[in-house]
Amino acid sequence: MAEENQTPPGIFVLGEEDTAAEETDTGALLDEVVVADADTRLLAVLDRVRGTVERIRADDAAEVAAAGGLDPELVGLLVAESSAEDASFEIRSIGDRVERGTLTWESFWARPQADPGGLELAARVQRRQAEALVAARVAFDEAEAAERP
């Protein structure tokens, strides 16, 4: 009578293959490959975005330099908003640093996110610019309407 392998479960004998250990979870392996590929693609896209942002910043800085600095009206709005009574401490700090000469409005405007309160100041200035634009459009429309018979 031929004896069958009577090795108890969980006991491994040298020379016998453990098929359970050799089985790989192909689904999990595929998931890992997909995640690694997605990470690689995302990093490549982020590198392209960073490059584009750096190029735009350089172009903006060159444009400001070619124009001889920021538009005086913009500088006036920056000064007014950074010294307004309702301005936050961070915004007032930006104005103070410009007055002391440790910051320029050009460098601030090129990267407002680099300074605490910078984005808030930029938003306040842009809101004032938008209000002025709307007021100018209304005045233009009224003047045009007054000229019509």
Side-chain angles (χ1 to χ4, degrees), residues 3 8 13 17 21-22 27 36 55 107 126 132 149:
E3 269 187 39
V13 179
E17 294 182 27
E22 288 185 12
R55 183 178 43 78
S107 64
Q126 290 170 344

Side-chain angles (χ1 to χ4, degrees), residues 5-13 16 18:
N5 188 356
Q6 298 288 329
T7 307
I11 303 294
F12 300 102
V13 179
E16 292 184 15
D18 180 16

Side-chain angles (χ1 to χ4, degrees), residues 17 22 27 30 34 36 41 43 47 51 53 59-60 64-65 97 101 104-105 116 125 131-132 137 142:
E17 294 182 27
E22 288 185 12
L30 183 59
V34 167
R41 288 178 185 215
L43 290 173
D47 284 342
V53 168
D59 290 349
D60 287 349
V64 167
R97 289 176 31 219
T104 65
W105 285 124
V125 167
E131 290 168 356
R137 178 61 193 211
E142 289 173 351

Side-chain angles (χ1 to χ4, degrees), residues 50-142:
R50 283 187 195 109
T52 301
V53 168
E54 288 174 13
R55 183 178 43 78
I56 290 170
R57 284 185 181 149
D59 290 349
D60 287 349
E63 185 179 316
V64 167
L70 292 178
D71 180 347
E73 289 181 28
L74 175 58
V75 172
L77 288 173
L78 287 164
V79 169
E81 287 298 322
S82 65
S83 60
E85 286 186 27
D86 64 339
S88 67
F89 172 78
E90 289 84 5
I91 290 177
R92 287 175 175 270
S93 172
I94 293 168
D96 292 344
R97 289 176 31 219
V98 170
E99 283 182 25
R100 287 193 314 263
T102 59
L103 179 69
T104 65
W105 285 124
E106 287 80 6
S107 64
F108 165 77
W109 195 248
R111 295 198 56 175
Q113 71 277 11
D115 295 288
L119 291 177
E120 182 185 357
L121 175 57
R124 289 173 64 124
V125 167
Q126 290 170 344
R127 191 171 18 259
R128 292 263 310 263
Q129 288 174 321
E131 290 168 356
L133 213 69
V134 168
R137 178 61 193 211
V138 167
F140 176 80
D141 289 345
E142 289 173 351

